[in-house]
Amino acid sequence: MEPTPAAPLESLANARARDAADPMRGFRARFALPADGRVAFEANSIGAMPADAPARAAAILNEGWRGLGRRGWSEADWLDMPARLGASIAPLIGAGPDDVLVCDNTTTNLFKLLGHAWRQRGDGHVIVTEAANFSTDLHVADGFARFVRESGGRCQLVRADSREAVLAALGDGGVAILMLTHTDYRHGDCWDLAATTARAHAAGALTLWDLSHSAGALDIDLLGADADFAVACGYKYLCGGPGGPSAVFVHPRHRDAMPLIQGWMGHAGRPGFGPDYDPAPGVLRLATGTPPVIANAVFSAAADLWAEVDRAALGARHRELGDLLVALIDARCARHGVRLLSPRDPARRGGHAAIAHEGAAAIANALVAHGVTVSFRAPDAIRFGVSPLYHNREDLWRAVSVLDEILTAQTWRDPAYQGSRL
């Protein structure tokens, strides 16, 4: 008999029973989780390592670099990997196989897509974003706007102080691009992708979405939402390895715009050695320089897993795990002054769940010392980056049990745990 919704709060046995019956449980075994037994809720910072990533990296080093050398560019799949990786993860974000490319990093791709969008806009001179957007997004937008102005153009960056102010700014006229991060990196509140995109389009603006804290956790449908452009960090929930390349999405209607950065790997005759640039078809033109072959090999271990994942099932499992985490924290930790920062509504809750406490930094340090890795964000947030692909209910039960013990015994007040380290 299926346990009641409250049953997982009552015993570890119930959590294990539900894990054993989970249709997605097999994916967990395909990751190399921490050997010391700790539970790492850091998918929002760096995803777990696919079990065969070391073998793929070793093959590139030994059979590729050592064996083929420069012949690897012509005899191996090194040049094709950005497109192949993009096609593998495309269904995960509701895109077609020719809509996504894995290349460069998130910051570079944001700048490239701003340029792509700027050339495609109907009119307008304003880029709207949130004042509390992730730092690199703000830096890129500010730098792009300055570049346009210093080149003799007109470009204004509006940093709205609230989500209401973002939507209000769309009605002011002159908005060319709405640039938003889908899931807020602090408290995990996420935008309604389709509704917000529709509001932007009604105002004559194009949309650029940063999915770095959403892709690989949530059910994202870019084409269904009619989004124009998007980027996604490759090493968070997507598990592409430390510093792994980023993913870039371009809606088919915008494929033929000339890229702002014209590189030889985005050339139609890739690699292009001639003096004149002839763009490759579609999203391939957004490739720039030489692809990172070793990093791409590591990413391929994750991309092959994602190609097997049903997007809707992934989103449903993430919602269920998030709901359980919230319920466990309510039941065991609310009495200790813990409050939920993330939305309770799973439709509004992004990749991670965040809680607040006056001793958040010290509590996060104590959790790490007791085998539960989380992240702290000032002034008082503790973030649990839960992956629907390799975390399970037992992980959540264990983590909240440790949190409860630390709060009950006030272990976090120990001088050894003071100060922000995460």
Side-chain angles (χ1 to χ4, degrees):
M1 186 175 77
E2 278 290 314
T4 64
L9 306 181
E10 297 167 3
S11 73
L12 177 58
N14 281 323
R16 288 173 172 166
R18 289 171 66 85
D19 287 335
D22 193 318
M24 295 187 69
R25 65 188 182 280
F27 284 106
R28 180 181 174 94
R30 298 168 69 179
F31 286 86
L33 300 179
D36 59 6
R38 64 187 170 88
V39 184
F41 291 105
E42 52 189 359
N44 55 323
S45 293
I46 182 167
M49 182 177 74
D52 62 343
R56 300 203 186 198
I60 289 293
L61 294 173
N62 296 316
E63 300 163 22
W65 187 4
R66 184 181 184 184
L68 291 173
R70 71 179 301 274
R71 290 184 295 117
W73 297 112
S74 57
E75 297 182 24
D77 63 353
W78 296 356
L79 294 179
D80 297 327
M81 285 296 284
R84 187 175 82 76
L85 295 174
S88 293
I89 66 171
L92 186 69
I93 54 176
D98 298 324
D99 300 335
V100 182
L101 193 71
V102 171
C103 60
D104 299 317
N105 58 38
T106 303
T107 301
T108 303
N109 282 333
L110 283 168
F111 187 84
K112 285 156 60 176
L113 287 184
L114 274 175
H116 219 59
W118 194 254
R119 288 175 167 177
Q120 289 287 287
R121 77 194 193 283
D123 54 20
H125 65 282
V126 177
I127 300 171
V128 173
T129 189
E130 289 184 276
N133 203 345
F134 194 74
S135 58
T136 202
D137 298 64
L138 293 174
H139 300 336
V140 168
D142 181 62
F144 180 83
R146 182 180 297 110
F147 168 77
V148 172
R149 292 194 299 270
E150 291 176 351
S151 301
R154 185 184 179 201
C155 185
Q156 177 187 0
L157 176 63
V158 172
R159 306 185 189 195
D161 291 331
S162 67
R163 296 200 166 187
E164 294 74 19
V166 167
L167 298 177
L170 292 174
D172 291 341
V175 179
I177 302 169
L178 176 62
M179 175 182 172
L180 296 173
T181 295
H182 181 242
T183 294
D184 191 293
Y185 76 99
R186 301 162 302 160
H187 45 64
D189 196 354
C190 66
W191 285 89
D192 185 319
L193 188 67
T196 308
T197 297
R199 287 281 294 269
H201 287 172
L206 301 178
T207 56
L208 170 52
W209 291 98
D210 185 340
L211 305 177
S212 293
H213 290 88
S214 301
L218 307 183
D219 182 355
I220 301 294
D221 188 359
L222 289 172
L223 290 177
D226 202 30
D228 297 292
F229 306 95
V231 299
C233 179
Y235 56 81
K236 298 182 187 296
Y237 293 97
L238 290 177
C239 302
S246 166
V248 57
F249 161 85
V250 176
H251 192 284
R253 63 174 168 266
H254 300 306
R255 285 180 185 166
D256 295 332
M258 286 294 284
L260 185 61
I261 302 177
Q262 300 177 177
W264 69 325
M265 290 296 162
H267 194 278
R270 182 204 66 201
F273 288 100
D276 299 318
Y277 179 76
D278 180 17
V283 74
L284 296 177
R285 66 186 58 194
L286 286 176
T288 52
T290 307
V293 176
I294 299 173
N296 282 348
V298 171
F299 199 122
S300 72
D304 288 353
L305 287 175
W306 290 120
E308 302 176 27
V309 174
D310 178 79
R311 190 185 79 227
L314 181 86
R317 189 168 195 271
H318 188 268
R319 288 193 298 273
E320 182 181 351
L321 292 176
D323 286 346
L324 175 58
L325 176 61
V326 170
L328 287 167
I329 290 172
D330 281 345
R332 303 187 63 173
C333 302
R335 67 183 187 276
H336 298 300
V338 170
R339 60 185 177 87
L340 184 68
L341 286 177
S342 300
R344 292 186 179 277
D345 178 0
R348 287 186 50 207
R349 192 171 57 238
H352 60 278
I355 59 174
H357 189 280
E358 61 174 339
I363 293 168
N365 294 335
L367 281 168
V368 171
H370 288 77
V372 179
T373 303
V374 295
S375 58
F376 164 74
R377 285 293 176 268
D380 60 358
I382 298 172
R383 305 183 304 166
F384 290 80
V386 179
S387 168
L389 218 55
Y390 55 82
H391 285 129
N392 61 22
R393 297 161 188 83
E394 181 177 350
D395 291 335
L396 299 178
W397 196 94
R398 287 177 53 197
V400 177
S401 294
V402 173
L403 176 60
D404 183 18
E405 292 168 5
I406 287 171
L407 293 169
T408 299
Q410 298 197 43
T411 308
W412 62 274
R413 294 187 182 276
D414 189 311
Y417 300 129
Q418 304 310 304
S420 174
R421 305 173 196 168
L422 302 170

